[in-house]
Amino acid sequence: MWLPELPPFMPFMIIALFVFFSRGPLVTVLMLAAPLWGALNLWQLEQGLLWQVTLVELQLMPLRVDKLSTFFGYLFHLASFFCIVYALHVRDKVQQLACLLYTAAALGAVFSGDLLSLFIFWEMMALSSVFLIWARRSADSYASGLRYLAYQVISGLLLLIGTIFYWQEHGSLVFTYMSLQGTGAWLIFFAFGIKCAFPMLHTWLTDGYPNATVSGTVFLSAFTTKVAVYGLARAFPGSEILIYIGAVMTCFPIFYAVIENDLRRVLAYSLINQLGFMVVGIGIGTELALNGAVAHAFNDVLFKGLLFMSMGAVLQMTGRINGSELGGLYKTMPKTTLLCLVGAASISAFPLFNGFVSKSMVMTAALNQGYDWIWLALLFASAGVFHHAGIKIPYFAFFAHDSGIRSQDPPNNMLLAMVIAAALCLAIGIYPNLLYQLLPFESAYQPYDVSHVLAQTQLLCFAALAFLWLNVKGLYPPELPSVNLDADWLYRRLLANVWLTLSNKVWQTDQHIRKIFLDKLKQLLALVAKYHRPGGILARAQTVGNMALWIAILLACSLGLSFIGL
């Protein structure tokens, strides 16, 4: 070996250290070197490699290399490469360091062999990624980042407490398959569920990602949720509850995405929809389903990254991202339009695009295992994602009415990153074995048979006709300048209003008590002043005779009381 073998996260952390002390073009060189050095280092690591250390009687495995972790390792290196290319024009040291440390943490998490090491990288991901939101430096992004961080910290706490319980229950910290039995396993399951955006635990994603920087959103879409998918695939494959959770995840975001005006938020809902397919595959748990789940994670990083990059380019060049303010950009941003259409076709699972070769694996696995209703839900979700991501995004951004905005395509580095992602979407769609040979299980699956292609083509045609009919009839929800909340309404509106109401009540009660106290104090002071003011009874000069009289009266009273025995 001509390079020293390092844990996959180390090259990124070392480069981050050098970037911190560097300036100018050297930073660009270092940023590009990080994923290339990391990929070479990963290529050297042999399958089955295991590092073990003992810490206070705890057996830890900070490095474990197997096919599943290697698959996600290559995915994260690829994602970091095109994300860094996309962000090469950014001259913000905060974002540069955050993206390097975020990538390092994601790699550390997927190569951790024990739960304690996983927790350390889990928290490192949370702390580094939030700066990609705060780096936008707006009041909205600051508030959104705080909410995002709160969710991530809760996830970390659940993982830590679950780890402690799991260690007490099993006497081991090895991160491997665990059935959903015992407090520890359930807490770890919910920790993964938060990062995987389970229903009602997903609002950090739809809130945080659209408020991040242009390039930060692309990084965020690639790592956090995919680490959670890896965790579920490692620890809970075949857990049936995941099938139903995943089915809900595929369907409910469709309704919010259709009415959403912020196009990056539409993509955030679409991301949850695609995560649902992965969760369903993990829940089914067969080799075909697990291969489909991780293959779809790989493809999602490509086509979702491409769509986030194209919308980031629109935001970068026009300063606007709401569908109600855009339209007609194909005239002046033709390259971005074309690349966005490739991403839209890929996420919609058109034949010859990468979404088709992985999504069909999960749906076939559902049918093979007799989950017919789940298959129907996935079919509905496929039509829905074509509506909101395959049609709505390019239609309202680049076509629809002419907004009058005359911008131009983004800088060359941003276009190059999008071209890389688009080329991979097509390459995997045309030659699926490029992806299948990397999967954790042997795969003989053939996506291009007549029934699959015909069924998917019919579905897409039907969905396109439905969109056209709804538009012609004026029934499609218009793009309105509004802020839509879903489950986050509970804490951003309901709990906030309850807190405001309670605060006002406490404040009013406090004011009332203070007023009563002050009034009584004033009365007391007035009484004191009444007797001590000049001329008051206690302020008058007394004669010696009067004083002697009062003393005699007091002595008489005292004798009287003694006489009667009191």
Side-chain angles (χ1 to χ4, degrees):
M1 300 296 176
W2 51 285
L3 282 175
E5 292 183 351
L6 296 172
F9 66 88
M10 283 301 294
F12 285 88
M13 297 196 73
I14 293 171
I15 292 287
L17 183 63
F18 280 101
V19 166
F20 182 75
F21 292 105
S22 303
R23 294 181 182 280
L26 180 58
V27 173
T28 301
V29 175
L30 289 170
M31 295 292 292
L32 287 173
L36 299 177
W37 178 20
L40 279 174
N41 177 66
L42 179 58
W43 176 68
Q44 289 187 135
L45 300 180
E46 296 180 357
Q47 296 294 313
L49 178 64
L50 188 68
W51 286 13
Q52 291 182 304
V53 296
T54 302
L55 180 65
V56 196
E57 299 182 358
L58 295 176
Q59 291 292 326
L60 303 181
M61 291 183 285
L63 176 63
R64 176 183 55 193
V65 182
D66 60 15
K67 292 196 72 171
L68 185 61
S69 57
T70 303
F71 179 87
F72 278 89
Y74 281 122
L75 172 61
F76 289 167
H77 280 87
L78 177 63
S80 68
F81 179 71
F82 68 70
C83 288
I84 286 172
V85 171
Y86 185 76
L88 279 182
H89 63 285
V90 176
R91 297 289 182 266
D92 182 355
K93 194 63 74 70
V94 172
Q95 290 191 64
Q96 290 163 339
L97 291 173
C99 73
L100 289 172
L101 294 174
Y102 184 32
T103 308
L107 286 167
V110 298
F111 284 95
S112 294
D114 66 272
L115 291 168
L116 189 58
S117 301
L118 175 67
F119 165 74
I120 293 170
F121 290 111
W122 200 262
E123 291 299 85
M124 185 176 161
M125 282 176 58
L127 296 175
S128 55
S129 60
V130 71
F131 284 96
L132 295 174
I133 301 174
W134 285 339
R136 199 171 178 187
R137 297 177 174 86
S138 68
D140 285 345
S141 65
Y142 180 71
S144 177
L146 284 178
R147 294 190 290 268
Y148 169 91
L149 187 60
Y151 265 102
Q152 304 305 311
V153 169
I154 291 171
S155 172
L157 285 174
L158 287 175
L159 178 58
L160 178 61
I161 298 170
T163 297
I164 294 170
F165 274 98
Y166 189 81
W167 180 59
Q168 289 180 335
E169 292 164 356
H170 301 274
S172 171
L173 289 177
V174 177
F175 180 33
T176 183
Y177 172 79
M178 52 183 80
S179 60
L180 279 173
Q181 294 180 346
T183 306
W186 275 106
L187 290 174
I188 293 170
F189 180 80
F190 281 115
F192 292 170
I194 290 176
K195 274 198 174 5
C196 201
F198 279 4
M200 303 301 290
L201 303 175
H202 67 279
T203 52
W204 61 270
L205 194 158
T206 53
D207 180 20
Y209 285 15
N211 283 308
T213 63
V214 167
S215 56
T217 306
V218 186
F219 275 99
L220 289 168
S221 71
F223 295 119
T224 298
T225 52
K226 304 309 178 296
V227 170
V229 167
Y230 163 82
L232 291 172
R234 169 75 69 187
F236 303 105
S239 300
E240 192 171 15
I241 189 175
L242 287 174
I243 299 175
Y244 306 108
I245 292 174
V248 175
M249 290 174 69
T250 60
C251 294
F252 90 88
I254 294 171
F255 303 100
Y256 291 102
V258 167
I259 62 172
E260 181 57 51
N261 191 29
D262 184 329
L263 296 183
R264 292 207 300 175
R265 201 154 190 243
V266 172
L267 289 177
Y269 279 113
S270 174
L271 177 53
I272 299 172
N273 164 277
Q274 298 302 304
L275 287 167
F277 283 89
M278 303 168 210
V279 172
V280 168
I282 295 169
I284 294 171
T286 62
E287 291 188 355
L288 176 62
L290 289 172
N291 272 345
V294 298
H296 204 55
F298 193 101
N299 286 334
D300 183 73
V301 168
L302 294 177
F303 57 62
K304 194 54 59 59
L306 176 56
L307 287 169
F308 269 121
M309 285 191 284
S310 62
M311 288 302 101
V314 169
L315 178 60
Q316 172 90 3
M317 303 309 295
T318 69
R320 302 172 189 177
I321 197 59
N322 290 334
S324 58
E325 301 172 347
L326 296 172
L329 294 179
Y330 76 93
K331 300 173 183 174
T332 53
M333 300 180 71
K335 297 172 184 173
T336 307
T337 304
L338 180 62
L339 293 165
C340 180
L341 288 174
V342 173
S346 300
I347 195 174
S348 304
F350 273 85
L352 302 181
F353 291 85
N354 63 341
F356 178 80
V357 304
S358 53
K359 193 179 290 184
S360 61
M361 296 174 79
V362 176
M363 296 180 71
T364 301
L367 271 183
N368 289 348
Q369 298 303 308
Y371 292 105
D372 296 350
W373 287 103
I374 298 298
W375 179 81
L376 284 173
L378 299 183
L379 201 63
F380 168 76
S382 296
V385 76
F386 179 48
H387 259 262
H388 68 256
I391 297 177
K392 177 176 178 174
I393 292 288
Y395 179 73
F396 285 104
F398 300 105
F399 304 102
H401 69 284
D402 189 344
S403 62
I405 300 173
R406 295 294 178 263
S407 186
Q408 52 185 313
D409 281 313
N412 288 334
N413 64 295
M414 297 175 77
L415 284 175
L416 176 60
M418 288 190 276
V419 167
I420 294 171
L424 288 169
C425 287
L426 280 166
I428 293 173
I430 297 170
Y431 304 105
N433 281 333
L434 290 175
L435 175 62
Y436 289 171
Q437 63 187 349
L438 299 175
L439 296 174
F441 302 103
E442 294 294 329
S443 175
Y445 179 73
Q446 292 298 327
Y448 289 111
D449 61 42
V450 176
S451 61
H452 283 159
V453 174
L454 277 180
Q456 185 65 14
T457 306
Q458 288 172 349
L459 174 71
L460 295 172
C461 289
F462 176 77
L465 287 173
F467 178 83
L468 185 62
W469 183 80
L470 289 171
N471 259 297
V472 170
K473 294 293 183 183
L475 298 175
Y476 195 84
E479 296 299 297
L480 299 174
S482 59
V483 177
N484 299 311
L485 302 178
D486 54 88
D488 49 352
W489 177 86
L490 290 174
Y491 57 85
R492 294 180 65 181
R493 289 292 183 272
L494 180 62
L495 289 182
N497 287 335
V498 169
W499 173 255
L500 186 62
T501 303
L502 287 176
S503 299
N504 287 335
K505 292 291 182 187
V506 170
W507 176 254
Q508 290 171 0
T509 304
D510 175 69
Q511 291 294 309
H512 184 65
I513 293 173
R514 286 169 183 264
K515 185 175 182 303
I516 292 175
F517 176 76
L518 288 175
D519 288 345
K520 295 298 181 186
L521 184 60
K522 286 178 182 177
Q523 291 175 4
L524 178 63
L525 291 175
L527 184 64
V528 172
K530 175 182 176 182
Y531 290 106
H532 285 272
R533 68 187 177 210
I537 189 170
L538 296 178
R540 295 176 189 165
Q542 300 292 332
T543 61
V544 175
N546 285 338
M547 294 298 294
L549 177 62
W550 278 109
I551 292 172
I553 292 172
L554 291 174
L555 286 173
C557 291
S558 176
L559 287 171
L561 291 174
S562 299
F563 180 76
I564 62 178
L566 295 176

